[in-house]
């Protein structure tokens, strides 16, 4: 199953509203079980597949445990992503994962001091899970 085949599983509305946006403009909201996680992770896979190699890729969540549960669990779920699931490797608690052959740093941002984990890092892209739970100081 390729990315186009997985994308075809999305509703036309969800597909047009999410997958066609520029990556930097994607902020996901909506009802519970409306497909946000699936669509956002699919968009992230598309981004990772085409990301510039001149910077690092990052997954940010409130904790590394929530990243494991909310991001890497679904990405490794064969029922959800089909054969694409085999291209994600992550061990809970590890500082990095591999997605489509690219190293991706996993950063827990549960308090303002967490920004030091990101400081000095040149990022080519980031997936932020539950961004409203990440302290504003982390981004500032």
């Amino acid at each position: 199953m390729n990315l186009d085949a997985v994308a075809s599983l999305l509703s036309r509305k969800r597909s047009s509203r999410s997958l066609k946006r520029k990556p930097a403009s994607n902020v996901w909201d909506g009802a519970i079980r409306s497909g946000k996680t699936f669509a956002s992770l699919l968009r992230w896979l598309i981004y990772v597949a085409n990301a510039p190699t001149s910077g690092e890729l990052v997954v940010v969540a409130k904790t590394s445990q929530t990243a494991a549960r909310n991001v890497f669990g679904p990405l490794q779920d064969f029922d959800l992503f089909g054969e694409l699931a085999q291209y994600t490797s992550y061990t809970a608690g590890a500082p990095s994962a591999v997605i489509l052959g690219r190293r991706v740093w996993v950063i827990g941002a549960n308090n303002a001091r967490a920004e030091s984990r990101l400081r000095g890092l040149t990022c080519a892209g980031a997936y932020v899970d539950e961004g409203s739970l990440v302290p504003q100081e982390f981004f500032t």
Side-chain angles (χ1 to χ4, degrees):
M1 183 178 288
N2 61 31
L3 290 175
D4 291 331
V6 174
S8 70
L9 299 173
L10 295 172
S11 71
R12 176 167 292 195
K13 182 177 179 183
R14 176 65 64 190
S15 178
S16 66
R17 287 177 51 200
S18 59
L19 297 181
K20 295 178 182 174
R21 292 184 201 161
K22 292 182 179 179
S25 66
N26 283 326
V27 175
W28 306 82
D29 65 356
I32 295 171
R33 305 215 35 94
S34 64
K36 296 182 305 290
T37 298
F38 178 77
S40 67
L41 289 174
L42 177 58
R43 185 65 186 99
W44 176 239
L45 286 174
I46 292 168
Y47 182 79
V48 170
N50 299 294
T53 57
S54 59
E56 302 290 344
L57 299 174
V58 177
V59 167
V60 176
K62 184 166 178 145
T63 67
S64 62
Q65 291 83 7
T66 56
R69 182 181 62 244
N70 297 346
V71 179
F72 296 105
L75 283 175
Q76 293 175 302
D77 185 343
F78 189 83
D79 290 337
L80 194 58
F81 284 100
E83 65 186 48
L84 285 174
Q86 68 183 326
Y87 298 106
T88 297
S89 174
Y90 180 64
T91 301
S96 66
V98 175
I99 300 175
L100 300 175
R102 291 282 307 265
R103 180 179 56 194
V104 178
W105 295 104
V106 180
I107 298 176
N110 59 348
N111 60 42
R113 292 189 322 257
E115 66 83 23
S116 67
R117 297 179 194 135
L118 191 63
R119 186 175 293 192
L121 189 66
T122 301
C123 291
Y127 182 96
V128 181
D129 178 58
E130 299 284 351
S132 63
L133 301 177
V134 175
Q136 182 176 353
E137 295 84 3
F138 179 80
F139 294 105
T140 305

